[in-house]
Amino acid sequence: MPALRTALLQSSGELGDVAANLKILDEAAARAAEAGAGLLLAPELFLTGYAIGADMARLAEPADGPSARAVAAVAVRHGLAVGYGYPERDVERHGVLYNAAQLMGPDGQVLLHYRKTHLYGAFEHQWFTPGEDGVVQAELGGLTVGLMICYDVEFPENVRAQALAGTDLLLVPTALMHPAEVVAESVVPVRAFENQLYIAYANRTGPEGDYEFVGLSTLAAPDGTSRARAGRGEDLVVGEVDPAFLAASREENPYLRDRRPGLYGSLV
């Protein structure tokens, strides 16, 4: 099975300007496809920006809204899967918003839809309702791909649930802020190592309202190394998700085989 070349878009886009951010995503997809990538991942709330205050409600869209159709067109135009974050309006529950992410396949069909389950800070709790589905998965390029958002990956149980469900590549659009650089630098690679999977972690960058996003996007491998790592500024980095390396690593690393779930009842 060939490796899946994966591109991470590190950008905060244009605050509050969905059309501009769709254009940035389209340009990044063109560059990623030219580099041979089969997957592009953009950050958390990329389509709108993060620190947009009351505009969150104004700019939120249904999961199948016009922006989703535009991203689907980007995926088809450049022949690769595209993952991105956006504020979702629940059409069945008026006024309910989710911090959401979707993965569009290269054919323009939705492969994954996810609502952030662990909200971070007063701002997110003010605007969003937490999602209830911890593990979502789809097949892409012969790999089982999972999806979560930012703070979710900082909970060991969350990532372990993905590993036990068979996830090979975990996509994490994120909005990591200063002074939490340790998450990108250490926590994410450790999560990949202890769960024997790849983690694609795509961050925002630079100042935005009261926040300072730190960049440091990474593609972490099951040996705990970073196969691609961005700096602090706007960037597009590319790395390989290698199924053969993953299989060999899982054979060598016994963490999941040596678990004793009967001892962990206190966790639930």
Side-chain angles (χ1 to χ4, degrees):
M1 186 188 307
L4 176 64
R5 185 162 291 184
T6 299
L8 308 178
L9 172 60
Q10 181 165 288
S11 173
S12 287
E14 297 292 336
L15 202 62
D17 191 336
V18 175
N21 294 329
L22 286 168
K23 185 174 186 293
I24 292 169
L25 189 65
D26 186 42
E27 293 169 348
R31 292 163 56 201
E34 186 177 358
L39 168 64
L40 169 68
L41 181 64
E44 180 177 6
L45 294 173
F46 180 73
L47 292 190
T48 59
Y50 188 95
I52 58 174
D55 280 344
M56 196 67 75
R58 180 178 66 84
L59 295 175
E61 295 184 20
D64 60 353
S67 290
R69 296 191 291 273
V71 176
V74 168
V76 170
R77 182 158 51 248
H78 300 292
L80 78 174
V82 179
Y84 66 100
Y86 72 105
E88 179 196 352
R89 180 181 301 282
D90 190 332
V91 295
E92 296 181 355
R93 301 170 63 194
H94 182 70
V96 173
L97 305 183
Y98 298 97
N99 185 337
Q102 290 199 126
L103 176 66
M104 295 292 184
D107 60 356
Q109 298 301 305
V110 177
L111 290 178
L112 288 172
H113 172 258
Y114 177 79
R115 294 165 172 171
K116 190 174 185 178
T117 56
H118 296 75
L119 301 180
Y120 178 81
F123 174 77
E124 291 189 19
H125 282 277
Q126 175 185 357
W127 288 107
F128 300 118
T129 296
E132 296 297 332
D133 294 327
V135 176
V136 297
Q137 295 175 308
E139 295 299 310
L140 178 67
L143 297 166
T144 299
V145 179
L147 178 62
M148 59 177 60
I149 300 173
C150 195
Y151 195 41
D152 292 327
V153 80
E154 298 175 39
F155 292 81
E157 304 90 341
N158 246 19
V159 186
R160 181 51 55 87
Q162 288 277 350
L164 294 176
T167 295
D168 301 314
L169 169 61
L170 180 59
L171 307 181
V172 187
T174 192
L176 183 71
M177 309 163 190
H178 178 77
E181 286 88 340
V182 66
V183 175
E185 293 171 338
S186 300
V187 173
V188 169
V190 167
R191 289 282 177 274
F193 177 71
E194 69 192 3
N195 290 290
Q196 288 299 290
L197 42 67
Y198 284 88
I199 299 178
Y201 187 81
N203 196 19
R204 306 180 68 82
T205 181
E208 195 172 312
D210 295 331
Y211 307 111
E212 177 73 29
F213 297 109
V214 301
L216 303 175
S217 300
T218 187
L219 177 63
D223 61 354
T225 64
S226 289
R227 299 306 169 87
R229 168 74 77 181
R232 297 287 185 133
E234 301 271 329
D235 208 345
L236 182 75
V237 296
V238 179
E240 303 281 349
V241 175
D242 184 349
F245 181 83
L246 177 60
S249 183
R250 285 173 169 172
E251 183 63 30
E252 182 177 337
N253 187 309
Y255 281 150
L256 297 183
R257 295 192 300 273
D258 288 350
R259 292 172 65 252
R260 297 181 62 193
L263 299 179
Y264 314 144
S266 62
L267 291 177
V268 295

